Structure formats: structure tokens, C-alpha cells
Amino acid sequence: MTTATTTQTADGTAADDATRTRVRADLWFDPVCPWAWMTSRWMTEVEGLRDVEVHWHVMSLAVLNEGRELPDGYRALMDEAWGPVRVVTAARLAHGDEVVKPLYDAIGTRLHPGGRTDRTTVLAEALAEVGLPAELLEAADDDRVDAELRASHQRALDLVGDEVGTPVIAIDGTGYFGPVVTPAPRGEDAGRLWDGLVLMTRVPGFYELKRTRTQGPSFG
């Protein structure tokens, strides 16, 4: 016998589990985070394997670490982290949600497997690759989109709390930090990880699994 239950998605939309087959995923990322990049590659793989509707959103390590005591080197990285996430936010505001994932792909490919550190050039190249106006680069160095950036960031924290990093994923409105994985699973390995996470979200009161990381991000 099928029992109908109602699920709240991340944007507050109610969905009937008995009649709905497509699962909604919301993934929050910071373009400079290598772990978010790994998760995004896995989620991209899942899109081709499962009936899932993925929505991509920004969050910010710079915002997350505001007011925290940080080593000087990491603080400098956080200062540099504003630019990419601001440019993605400005692009979304001007050109719609559909540009978020292609622009993230273009930026992240250069920063992570590409190992690039010339972020201004990376952002300019990524905008050109996606066919977006070059003047969006101006958003990197001012705070004109920060209110919207912070609002998107806060939507992630509202789901999982503030003792997390990036990425954050919500499955039909139930959010978790992670998954943190390296290398990004491919094929049915990716699909099975997704299936397990979907099942996990169906268990009320389940909060956390964790183990110490022994590997860094593997971009191969």
C-alpha cells in the first residue's frame, strides 16, 4: 500500500510523495571551494542518471567566516573569495538562474582542475565562454550584489545551521552539509550515492555521518 506524504521543497513548494517521481535538489556552492567543486561534478553526473531537478545557488565562504579568528593566509584567501561569488550573483540577477551553472562550470574548471590563480583573468574568460557581458566583471570589486548574495547564503544556513562549510545540498527541502567526496563518483557509483542520500532524507531525525578526511580533492 502506498502512503501519501507531503514534502516541503527548499523554496517552500509542497509536493506529494505518492504521485511525484522527480526529486528536487538544491545545491549551494562557493566557486572557490574545491570540495564544493567535487560535489558539483558528482551532482552533474547524477543529473544524467536519475530523475532529478537540480537548482544551483551561491553561498560564500567569505560571509561564513566573517568575524572569525583566521590565520593570515586563510584570511587573504577569504578576501579574494568575494570576487567569483559576486560575479555569479550579478550574472544571475541580470540574466536569470539558467546562467548560474554554466558560469560556475567555466569558473570552476579554470580554478580547480586548471589550477589557475589569476582570478580576474579567470572570471573574464569564464564570462566570455558563457556569452555574458564583460562588464559583469565589475561586480567582483564592489558590494552592489552583496544583499542578494547574503540572502542566498542565508537560505542554505537556514536549512543546516552555521557550523558548516560548502557545499550544502537540500533534497526535497531537507538540507545537509556535503556530501564531501573525492574523487567525484561516476556512473552508477554516483547514482547509488544519490539514492542513499535520498533515503537518508526520508528518515526524520537523522542529522550526521562523518569521518576524518585522509585525501584532498582529486580533480582527475
Side-chain angles (χ1 to χ4, degrees):
M1 183 177 72
T2 301
T3 302
T5 59
T6 299
T7 302
Q8 285 292 118
T9 63
D11 63 357
T13 304
D16 186 344
D17 288 338
T19 59
R20 176 180 47 80
T21 59
R22 172 163 285 196
V23 175
R24 171 169 174 145
D26 291 86
L27 196 146
W28 281 264
F29 63 90
D30 186 314
V32 306
C33 177
W35 292 107
W37 178 253
M38 301 303 299
T39 303
S40 74
R41 298 311 91 189
W42 160 75
M43 193 72 252
T44 300
E45 186 83 356
V46 171
E47 283 187 281
L49 298 167
R50 297 293 189 266
D51 191 10
V52 55
E53 177 184 347
V54 186
H55 299 257
W56 300 85
H57 314 273
V58 296
M59 62 184 300
S60 171
L61 288 172
V63 172
L64 190 68
N65 284 289
E66 282 182 327
R68 297 181 179 179
E69 292 292 330
L70 301 173
D72 289 343
Y74 193 68
R75 172 56 62 194
L77 289 175
M78 292 301 94
D79 291 342
E80 294 178 4
W82 283 103
V85 74
R86 282 170 167 167
V87 169
V88 175
T89 301
R92 183 185 69 79
L93 290 173
H95 299 278
D97 291 347
E98 63 271 17
V99 305
V100 171
K101 177 59 161 44
L103 184 55
Y104 176 35
D105 289 346
I107 295 170
T109 297
R110 289 167 169 80
L111 291 181
H112 301 301
R116 299 271 295 275
T117 58
D118 50 333
R119 292 193 178 171
T120 299
T121 304
V122 162
L123 293 173
E125 290 177 0
L127 289 168
E129 178 182 322
V130 179
L132 291 169
E135 55 264 28
L136 286 169
L137 184 59
E138 297 171 5
D141 295 318
D142 66 49
D143 61 1
R144 65 187 181 189
V145 299
D146 283 8
E148 179 57 32
L149 187 164
R150 290 175 183 275
S152 179
H153 178 89
Q154 188 60 46
R155 285 191 286 271
L157 298 193
D158 287 345
L159 291 170
V160 298
D162 60 3
E163 295 182 2
V164 298
T166 61
V168 166
I169 190 170
I171 299 174
D172 284 339
T174 299
Y176 294 96
F177 165 58
V180 176
V181 60
T182 186
R186 302 293 183 184
E188 273 305 302
D189 286 342
R192 284 189 290 269
L193 176 57
W194 169 255
D195 296 340
L197 289 174
V198 172
L199 290 173
M200 180 180 72
T201 66
R202 303 296 191 255
V203 180
F206 179 85
Y207 290 100
E208 184 176 6
L209 279 173
K210 189 171 183 179
R211 62 175 175 166
T212 299
R213 291 195 299 265
T214 58
Q215 292 178 274
S218 173
F219 303 121

